[in-house]
Amino acid sequence: MAKHTLKNRKTVIIVACIVVVIIAVALGLFISQPKVKEDIFTFEYGKKVEIDTSAIFGDSSDKVKNIEVDYSSLKMVKDKDYPEVGEYELPFTYRTMIKHSDKLKVVVKDTTKPEFTSFSEKIEVAKGNKDFDFKSYFKASDLSNCTLDIDTKDVKFDKEGDYTAEVTATDAHKNKESKKFTVVVKAEEKAVIQSSSNSAVKPYYKNGILIVNKKHPVPPGFGGGVNQTALAAVNRMISDMKAEGLSVDSTTSNYRSYSYQSTLYQNYVSAYGQASADTFSARPGYSEHQTGLAFDLREPGGGSLLTNSKATSWVAKNAHKYGLIVRYQSGKEWITGYQAEPWHVRYVGDIATSVYNSGLSLEEYLGVSGGGY
């Protein structure tokens, strides 16, 4: 009986030793397994998220096999190959002795300031014009939508002189870029050049449609504000654009008086020279905006003219349904006298669809002269 008991004790001891050895070996193998060295990765907004898997395990990466990162949880910017700003958890798997599962943290930040693509160092303003549209002189570019803010607190609009103002571009993630510019307040008559100042000029109509171009001006006193029928049509179009998820601002640049256009044109001439200014800005008396029938659509935030291709393509195909036409088309510069402006729409009412279907400019459709001055 004693011998049997002793034999059982020896068996238990041997089994215990074997178990201890197995545990020790397993523990040793576990301790020696490659460990995750880096599990947080930061990317700048606009960059494609691609993780270098060798960075996850550092020097031990050669001991790891079949590393697979699941990127499906990234919220991608529409039609882009990079994700929205935010923090993400990406599952990943890898194999050593066995298959493992873990998670990586990805942080997408936007630290890039907007960039000014159009900037006027000096802007002339007619004395007393406190409602001057400074924003039309600046454009800013960024991956996200930009807004422009103008600080003119130090400008005395009722006193001639040179003043310092500041324009600030802010993107959707609060990155800002600011620049100072000079506002020259001067008597209104000094801002008028190359204009049709003859009050005897008569507005020109063809088939009931008012024509304003480089051949057909209107007198200084013509117009008295935005046309309400035209404004209602534009607002309906903008509302429908927003309903379809298109990026467009609710406000437009519309009616401009003769004196306002004088100042606007003169500033462009000062900045770019008259020959260049004449390709994109009307001389006073020659602007459709004076009629109250023309509208410049804007990007969200109201700072920049509408240029995103999805929105402008939609406008080109659908504006006629609202009695509007895209007035200055690409390839028609020789007859309209201006560079293509996909943001500039003109209310023409019932003939809009016929003009659209013809593929012609308004001058061609009505058979009137256009082109240069």
Side-chain angles (χ1 to χ4, degrees):
M1 184 70 178
K3 290 182 178 180
H4 183 71
T5 301
L6 181 60
K7 184 177 180 180
N8 287 342
R9 286 178 179 176
K10 288 182 179 179
T11 302
V12 170
I13 291 172
I14 292 172
V15 171
C17 289
I18 293 173
V19 170
V20 169
V21 170
I22 292 173
I23 292 174
V25 171
L27 184 59
L29 289 173
F30 176 79
I31 294 173
S32 66
Q33 289 299 301
K35 298 294 189 297
V36 172
K37 300 294 184 182
E38 182 64 58
D39 61 357
I40 301 177
F41 296 87
T42 301
F43 293 85
E44 180 67 15
Y45 181 59
K47 303 295 183 182
K48 186 175 181 179
V49 172
E50 289 183 326
I51 297 174
D52 180 1
T53 54
S54 65
I56 300 174
F57 295 95
D59 295 337
S60 302
S61 59
D62 59 339
K63 300 178 181 179
V64 183
K65 298 180 180 180
N66 303 329
I67 303 175
E68 295 183 4
V69 180
D70 181 1
Y71 294 95
S72 63
S73 61
L74 293 175
K75 183 180 178 182
M76 306 301 288
V77 176
K78 190 174 182 180
D79 299 326
K80 301 295 182 182
D81 63 353
Y82 54 85
E84 297 279 5
V85 169
E87 295 185 358
Y88 304 90
E89 282 193 348
L90 306 186
F92 80 103
T93 58
Y94 61 96
R95 180 176 293 278
T96 52
M97 293 183 64
I98 59 174
K99 186 175 181 179
H100 302 269
S101 297
D102 209 331
K103 291 183 178 181
L104 302 173
K105 182 177 181 180
V106 166
V107 180
V108 179
K109 295 182 177 180
D110 183 2
T111 63
T112 304
K113 295 179 180 180
E115 178 182 354
F116 282 100
T117 56
S118 180
F119 179 82
S120 297
E121 295 184 356
K122 182 181 291 187
I123 299 177
E124 295 181 356
V125 180
K127 183 179 177 181
N129 189 359
K130 296 181 179 181
D131 297 322
F132 190 83
D133 184 13
F134 287 100
K135 289 183 178 180
S136 62
Y137 289 84
F138 306 100
K139 293 180 183 178
S141 176
D142 192 81
L143 289 177
S144 61
N145 291 325
C146 286
T147 59
L148 292 177
D149 294 297
I150 309 293
D151 182 0
T152 57
K153 66 178 183 297
D154 295 328
V155 179
K156 297 179 180 178
F157 290 95
D158 56 352
K159 183 179 180 181
E160 291 184 46
D162 292 6
Y163 303 91
T164 299
E166 187 174 63
V167 56
T168 300
T170 306
D171 68 18
H173 303 116
K174 308 304 181 184
N175 297 299
K176 297 182 178 183
E177 178 67 12
S178 298
K179 282 191 174 185
K180 295 185 183 300
F181 63 96
T182 300
V183 176
V184 181
V185 179
K186 59 195 303 184
E188 183 177 338
E189 62 271 18
K190 295 180 181 179
V192 179
I193 71 169
Q194 298 295 325
S195 64
S196 175
S197 57
N198 184 359
S199 60
V201 169
K202 301 297 182 183
Y204 179 74
Y205 291 85
K206 181 68 178 289
N207 298 343
I209 301 298
L210 176 61
I211 299 296
V212 179
N213 60 19
K214 292 180 178 180
K215 291 292 194 295
H216 301 287
V218 290
F222 185 85
V226 65
N227 181 286
Q228 293 302 307
T229 300
L231 179 62
V234 169
N235 287 340
R236 286 197 304 274
M237 183 177 74
I238 290 175
S239 178
D240 289 346
M241 290 176 70
K242 286 178 172 289
E244 293 196 25
L246 296 168
S247 296
V248 61
D249 197 68
S250 298
T251 65
T252 62
S253 176
N254 43 68
Y255 170 73
R256 298 175 193 160
S257 67
Y258 181 94
S259 61
Y260 183 96
Q261 188 65 31
S262 298
T263 305
L264 185 66
Y265 176 74
Q266 175 63 71
N267 284 320
Y268 282 134
V269 169
S270 298
Y272 304 104
Q274 187 173 0
S276 178
D278 280 339
T279 66
F280 61 85
S281 179
R283 298 177 186 180
Y286 296 85
S287 172
E288 278 198 327
H289 286 283
Q290 191 178 337
T291 69
L293 296 167
F295 302 82
D296 287 342
L297 303 174
R298 290 170 164 167
E299 296 284 355
S304 303
L305 296 170
L306 188 70
T307 56
N308 74 81
S309 58
K310 284 199 170 182
T312 55
S313 293
W314 189 96
V315 171
K317 295 176 182 177
N318 295 279
H320 67 95
K321 300 174 183 176
Y322 304 86
L324 302 159
I325 60 172
V326 177
R327 185 68 173 88
Y328 307 123
Q329 303 172 36
S330 178
K332 301 294 184 180
E333 293 86 352
W334 62 278
I335 185 65
T336 65
Y338 295 103
Q339 298 175 5
E341 295 186 356
W343 56 81
H344 181 109
V345 294
R346 158 74 194 272
Y347 183 77
V348 294
D350 294 339
I351 70 166
T353 297
S354 294
V355 176
Y356 169 76
N357 288 336
S358 74
L360 302 173
S361 65
L362 187 59
E363 285 85 357
E364 293 172 298
Y365 181 84
L366 293 175
V368 300
S369 58
Y373 290 106

